[in-house]
Amino acid sequence: MTGDWMREKVLPVLTVVAAIFALWYAAAIWMNSSWTLAQAERAGKTLTFTEIVKDTMSQSRPKLPVPHQIAAEIWKSTVKMKLTSKRSLIFHGWITLRATLAGFALGTAIGILMAIAIVYSRTMELSLMPWAVISQTIPIVALAPMIVVVLPKIGIEGRLIPKAIISAYLCYFPVLVGMVKGLRAPHREQLDLMKTYNASGLQSFLKLRLPSSVPYLFTSLKIGIAAALVGAIVGELPTGAVRGLGARILIGDQFGNPMQIWAALTCAAILAGVLIMIVGLLQRITLKRMGMAE
Amino acid sequence: MQNEQGQGADCPKETVIRARDLDLVFQTNDGPVHALKDITLDIDRGDFVSFIGPSGCGKTTFLRVIAALEEPTGGEITVNDLTPDEARRLRAYGYVFQAAGLYPWRTIAGNVKLPLEIIGFTREEQEERVKKVLELVDLEGFERKYPWQLSGGMQQRASIARALAFDAEILLMDEPFGALDEIVRDHLNEQLLKLWARTNKTICFVTHSIPEAVYLSTHIVVMSPRPGRIHEVIQNPLPRERPLEIRDTPEFLEVAHRVREGLKAGHGYDG
């Protein structure tokens, strides 16, 4: 059993990871070596191949840091750093996570409510759906600064709410689309059955449409939580924020500190992965309790 | 049960479903489709009526009209002397669809409970009724199983239990065993007859199968297509008590032959 699991699940993943790492190291050697060679030339030295390789992996401002450098940077700015420090990635991660979760909750609520409105009202479908689609064609980077500028004018202070709104803006759409599909999943016979019981609209909704939509909802939530994280990070980029993973990326870029960019980037990726896994776990538990999965 | 030819009126009976010159025309993109034409039929309490005919003969549509799931465009129909829609609101009938249509997120007991929850029975009464109808369809012990854990035949039995749970006098069944293999179907036919004998419900049963119609019913309504109409109503002379072996008797084969001839004469085979 465990052998099969290793062969079927772990091995393919490890193979891909190994391939990516190999490519990454090769690319780092190739991209960083020009600087190594230029330095050597200026000093009038000739380097062996081993010396070049070694140098490409230990520069403080490489064009492309290698994975173990990034790992070291993350280690330094998480485990070895006090949580309250302005350079702690855990601190910045928490700032971003907070906005992500707030945006996710807001976006999910908006998505579900809009889906209900659309499924139950033809007028709503005709009037809301095109705007929902158009909303996703506007680049969020263009919209984010406006949201950040406008909100304080209407009395909303702080950075959390603007970021959460930007995050919700990205996150509601997959939830909306998934929920519309889910609420419409019951086929004609199932709806007719409710009619033969003379069920009220609310009863049909609670006992048929809502449970039918749960698998669709979770699939959407997985996309939604990733979108919410992207939204929170984007919300930190153009707004002069100094806290959050997005701010770390931006500041790293402005001060020419690639290690910091890559460390923040990696943390964001890990955070996204963990969030998706948590939603996936909730999905499995929920569907199992509903009897819809083994 | 009677029809225009006046068959089968031996004693005064209580008519449950009464249709007079019923018409139903669907407006489709390809023009109007005459689904039902001049349907006149009386179904009495306790009858087991099968509707048989090729696809497009309107047998399912007629069942849906009785259930107020379709609106006729002409003629009259009453169910318990009410309009079908009034009867539906009073939950006069239980409907069994071709697909069992159990909710995958509910256990078998939970599925049977669904109409009871909607109608608003007390919790104790729900439990009591679930127990009673699951016994009736031989599914005791499967209360806590989920539909996917049951075979197709058992699922269909659960859906019959669901239709029986709220004591509707009329049972409308739209090809309930159509998707099952013959061995399971035989078994369920036998069980359905027993159930009918025990509950004395009025059953309307749509089928494609001549042996099934002959084995089950007191009356066989032979329908023909385009437009969907009643070709003939055959009163089944077989006794109410019917072991499966009855299907090998000359009497049974004689009725089956009459149904087949009826289908042929109604141009049932050219579709």
Side-chain angles (χ1 to χ4, degrees):
Chain A
M1 219 28 224
T2 43
D4 282 351
W5 185 74
M6 285 290 287
R7 242 195 320 278
E8 281 167 22
K9 295 267 166 85
V10 180
L11 207 62
V13 175
L14 285 183
T15 313
V16 173
V17 169
I20 291 173
F21 272 43
L23 262 176
W24 193 333
Y25 276 102
I29 293 167
W30 176 58
M31 289 167 84
N32 298 341
S33 61
S34 50
W35 192 78
T36 309
L37 293 174
Q39 288 294 105
E41 201 178 278
R42 213 168 298 158
K45 283 194 289 188
T46 43
L47 298 173
T48 65
F49 180 71
T50 336
E51 282 170 324
I52 295 174
V53 170
K54 241 182 168 173
D55 186 80
T56 55
M57 294 184 193
S58 53
Q59 296 169 5
S60 63
R61 297 189 169 193
K63 280 193 182 124
L64 178 65
V66 286
H68 70 255
Q69 279 180 301
I70 298 168
E73 170 75 17
I74 291 174
W75 180 261
K76 200 178 77 189
S77 48
T78 54
V79 181
K80 292 222 169 150
M81 195 81 68
K82 270 199 293 190
L83 284 182
T84 47
S85 163
K86 291 281 170 283
R87 280 157 59 208
S88 163
L89 274 178
I90 293 178
F91 167 77
H92 291 288
W94 165 242
I95 298 290
T96 305
L97 178 65
R98 227 172 37 164
T100 303
L101 293 179
F104 178 63
L106 185 65
T108 303
I110 293 172
I112 291 176
L113 289 176
M114 275 177 79
I116 293 171
I118 283 171
V119 167
Y120 276 91
S121 153
R122 181 93 184 115
T123 320
M124 282 299 207
E125 181 176 13
L126 292 176
S127 54
L128 276 183
M129 208 54 190
W131 290 107
V133 174
I134 288 167
S135 77
Q136 298 304 299
T137 64
I138 302 168
I140 190 69
V141 230
L143 212 58
M146 284 191 253
I147 293 172
V148 172
V149 168
V150 167
L151 284 184
K153 299 257 191 296
I154 56 169
I156 293 169
E157 294 298 329
R159 293 204 172 267
L160 177 65
I161 292 172
K163 281 198 295 184
I165 288 176
I166 295 162
S167 166
Y169 187 89
L170 284 190
C171 152
Y172 90 94
F173 190 70
V175 176
L176 167 68
V177 173
M179 271 309 270
V180 167
K181 205 169 170 207
L183 291 172
R184 287 194 174 142
H187 47 83
R188 186 171 134 182
E189 279 194 358
Q190 287 178 313
L191 293 165
D192 279 347
L193 185 70
M194 290 311 253
K195 205 177 163 193
T196 69
Y197 300 149
N198 194 24
S200 69
L202 185 65
Q203 283 173 327
S204 292
F205 177 73
L206 291 177
K207 292 191 189 292
L208 176 59
R209 287 195 191 268
L210 203 58
S212 301
S213 72
V214 171
Y216 295 85
L217 174 64
F218 272 107
T219 310
S220 295
L221 288 184
K222 278 196 213 164
I223 306 168
I225 190 104
L229 180 67
V230 171
I233 291 174
V234 169
E236 290 162 348
L237 285 179
T239 57
V242 290
R243 306 192 308 171
L245 292 176
R248 290 304 282 174
I249 294 170
L250 195 69
I251 293 166
D253 184 48
Q254 286 162 349
F255 290 87
N257 189 344
M259 225 73 93
Q260 189 187 321
I261 300 177
W262 281 87
L265 217 55
T266 309
C267 278
I270 292 170
L271 192 58
V274 170
L275 288 174
I276 291 171
M277 266 168 60
I278 291 171
V279 175
L281 196 70
L282 285 176
Q283 175 180 32
R284 270 180 36 208
I285 293 169
T286 312
L287 291 186
K288 198 174 171 180
R289 291 191 77 176
M290 285 177 77
M292 294 209 274
E294 282 181 55
Chain B
M1 173 155 160
Q2 307 164 313
N3 75 334
E4 285 160 307
Q5 284 95 51
Q7 284 163 317
D10 351 304
C11 55
K13 276 186 166 181
E14 189 187 345
T15 303
V16 179
I17 296 163
R18 182 194 306 271
R20 291 287 173 272
D21 302 320
L22 202 67
D23 266 310
L24 177 53
V25 181
F26 287 118
Q27 298 300 334
T28 70
N29 291 336
D30 301 333
V33 172
H34 218 134
L36 294 174
K37 188 172 161 55
D38 296 334
I39 303 285
T40 293
L41 189 72
D42 283 353
I43 297 173
D44 293 331
R45 185 169 305 286
D47 278 350
F48 195 130
V49 184
S50 284
F51 296 86
I52 192 164
S55 2
C57 72
K59 50 194 192 301
T60 294
T61 309
F62 183 54
L63 210 63
R64 291 175 62 83
V65 170
I66 299 173
L69 295 173
E70 304 288 355
E71 186 89 25
T73 47
E76 278 173 46
I77 179 164
T78 60
V79 177
N80 290 339
D81 295 323
L82 303 167
T83 68
D85 202 54
E86 285 165 345
R88 175 181 72 82
R89 286 172 198 283
L90 292 170
R91 286 122 178 169
Y93 63 84
Y95 203 110
V96 180
F97 292 91
Q98 180 168 15
L102 301 173
Y103 290 1
W105 57 87
R106 281 176 175 250
T107 59
I108 295 305
N111 269 288
V112 176
K113 230 178 260 179
L114 176 72
L116 304 177
E117 287 172 11
I118 289 171
I119 294 168
F121 284 97
T122 64
R123 201 163 282 255
E124 298 87 63
E125 191 156 5
Q126 289 180 20
E127 300 292 340
E128 211 171 285
R129 280 167 178 265
V130 167
K131 194 171 176 305
K132 197 184 84 187
V133 289
L134 282 181
E135 250 165 50
L136 216 53
V137 297
D138 265 339
L139 275 180
E140 57 268 76
F142 291 93
E143 289 84 357
R144 307 178 72 156
K145 292 269 188 273
Y146 282 98
W148 56 268
Q149 295 172 300
L150 267 60
S151 69
M154 289 165 101
Q155 288 186 24
Q156 198 53 273
R157 261 147 62 193
S159 94
I160 292 171
R162 184 176 60 183
L164 291 172
F166 51 101
D167 275 343
E169 285 296 315
I170 305 168
L171 202 51
L172 304 175
M173 307 180 85
D174 185 6
E175 290 188 52
F177 310 138
L180 304 174
D181 69 61
E182 206 160 334
I183 298 167
V184 177
R185 182 190 270 229
D186 279 355
H187 179 61
L188 290 183
N189 279 342
E190 211 179 358
Q191 279 194 317
L192 181 60
L193 268 190
K194 282 189 189 140
L195 197 137
W196 173 60
R198 283 171 67 181
T199 57
N200 201 32
K201 305 235 181 245
T202 310
I203 300 183
C204 298
F205 190 95
V206 167
T207 181
H208 267 124
S209 152
I210 296 174
E212 190 172 66
V214 178
Y215 178 67
L216 290 173
S217 1
T218 56
H219 302 77
I220 301 155
V221 178
V222 180
M223 299 182 74
S224 59
R226 282 176 295 275
R229 60 194 184 278
I230 295 178
H231 174 73
E232 189 184 0
V233 179
I234 297 171
Q235 189 165 15
N236 195 339
L238 297 178
R240 281 202 159 213
E241 190 77 21
R242 295 174 193 176
L244 271 177
E245 299 73 49
I246 205 169
R247 298 180 303 176
D248 299 322
T249 61
E251 293 80 12
F252 184 94
L253 296 174
E254 163 61 24
V255 183
H257 179 74
R258 277 175 62 195
V259 175
R260 194 168 290 114
E261 287 301 312
L263 286 170
K264 225 183 261 176
H267 305 289
Y269 286 145
D270 67 7

